[in-house]
Amino acid sequence: QVQLVESGGGVVQPGRSLKLSCAASGFTFSSYGMHWVRQAPGKGLEWVAVIWYDGSNKYYADSVKGRFTISRDNSKNTLYLQMNSLRAEDTAVYYCAREFTGTYYYDSSGYRKSGAFDYWGQGTLVTVSS
Amino acid sequence: SYELTQPPSVSVSPGQTARITCSGDALPKQYAYWYQQKPGQAPVLVIYKDSERPSGIPERFSGSSSGTTVTLTISGVQAEDEADYYCQSADNSGTYTVIFGGGTKLTVL
């Protein structure tokens, strides 16, 4: 069965770095786009970043652009999120999520848009606090 | 920046029909997806591409689209459907981004 297991969360001081991992199993990891989505305590979902199945394209939310880096190692079936210059507002549960095959699309203007997220990990909590 | 607007809360009695809306100017041109999230759990996809239901999701969950509003309908609501529901979509710009609505708390009375 499909499993996504995040790790690497914890308490970190503002301005410091942290690297999250997401170990995938039960499917051909190298065939799927992967995302990070976060949820601040008591708040809604916020998309963070995406990486194409082969790592060829990466996109970020404006709130993390220039500070966070998404990457993957298909030989290890693992997704990563390197988070630098952390801020208090980055405090959240971070989920990795798989993009549902066949649900991404190109809109009428020819721009590629995200598909749905069909599997999610259980999340890892990142707390940024001094 | 682009936003998807959901009502903060919806309440229904068991067996009734719950309708949760999500509004956004780009929705006529972009697909919407819906997720259910129960406390302490990860979200679960319940509708994709406006109205498609993933395997394993009960038939009482359905989705529809009309103009700038998409709607998640839960027919014959059960106590276990009490959860937060989020819509997801995209804007019409050339920038790749993913937008979530603010979420709707469904209460089963």
Side-chain angles (χ1 to χ4, degrees):
Chain A
Q1 71 284 19
V2 173
Q3 277 199 310
L4 298 170
V5 180
E6 301 95 337
S7 60
V11 180
V12 61
Q13 294 179 328
R16 303 298 290 264
S17 299
L18 204 61
K19 187 172 185 177
L20 306 183
S21 300
C22 169
S25 61
F27 66 102
T28 304
F29 179 70
S30 59
S31 296
Y32 288 82
M34 296 294 298
H35 297 252
W36 286 99
V37 177
R38 69 184 181 184
Q39 186 170 34
K43 303 297 184 181
L45 301 172
E46 180 187 15
W47 176 75
V48 174
V50 61
I51 186 167
W52 263 216
Y53 71 100
D54 59 358
S56 60
N57 283 288
K58 307 172 186 180
Y59 298 98
Y60 300 89
D62 286 345
S63 58
V64 306
K65 202 173 296 182
R67 299 187 300 123
F68 290 12
T69 301
I70 189 172
S71 62
R72 64 191 299 158
D73 185 337
N74 284 344
S75 68
K76 295 183 178 179
N77 292 340
T78 303
L79 175 72
Y80 302 101
L81 186 67
Q82 176 67 47
M83 304 184 295
N84 299 332
S85 303
L86 283 162
R87 306 167 180 168
E89 54 264 36
D90 296 319
T91 294
V93 172
Y94 285 74
Y95 296 100
C96 62
R98 188 182 83 167
E99 188 165 306
F100 190 0
T101 294
T103 61
Y104 75 81
Y105 64 99
Y106 292 86
D107 68 8
S108 58
S109 298
Y111 298 121
R112 176 165 168 166
K113 301 296 182 179
S114 174
F117 306 150
D118 61 347
Y119 284 94
W120 299 61
Q122 84 289 349
T124 187
L125 176 61
V126 173
T127 302
V128 184
S129 173
S130 54
Chain B
S1 61
Y2 182 63
E3 293 183 349
L4 294 171
T5 301
Q6 298 181 234
S9 62
V10 169
S11 299
V12 295
S13 299
Q16 290 191 326
T17 296
R19 293 180 179 85
I20 299 172
T21 59
C22 173
S23 299
D25 289 342
L27 287 174
K29 293 186 176 182
Q30 307 298 339
Y31 282 121
Y33 314 111
W34 288 95
Y35 300 90
Q36 176 194 69
Q37 186 180 34
K38 296 181 179 179
Q41 297 183 20
V44 173
L45 177 67
V46 294
I47 294 290
Y48 66 97
K49 288 193 171 180
D50 293 346
S51 59
E52 300 295 319
R53 194 172 51 250
S55 61
I57 299 302
E59 290 185 7
R60 64 179 182 274
F61 288 87
S62 63
S64 61
S65 177
S66 179
T68 59
T69 299
V70 293
T71 302
L72 172 68
T73 300
I74 310 172
S75 304
V77 167
Q78 301 181 6
E80 67 198 49
D81 299 331
E82 183 164 290
D84 293 325
Y85 291 84
Y86 295 90
C87 61
Q88 174 206 333
S89 188
D91 62 17
N92 287 332
S93 76
T95 303
Y96 186 107
T97 190
V98 174
I99 310 294
F100 286 99
T104 298
K105 169 67 176 178
L106 175 65
T107 300
V108 181
L109 301 171

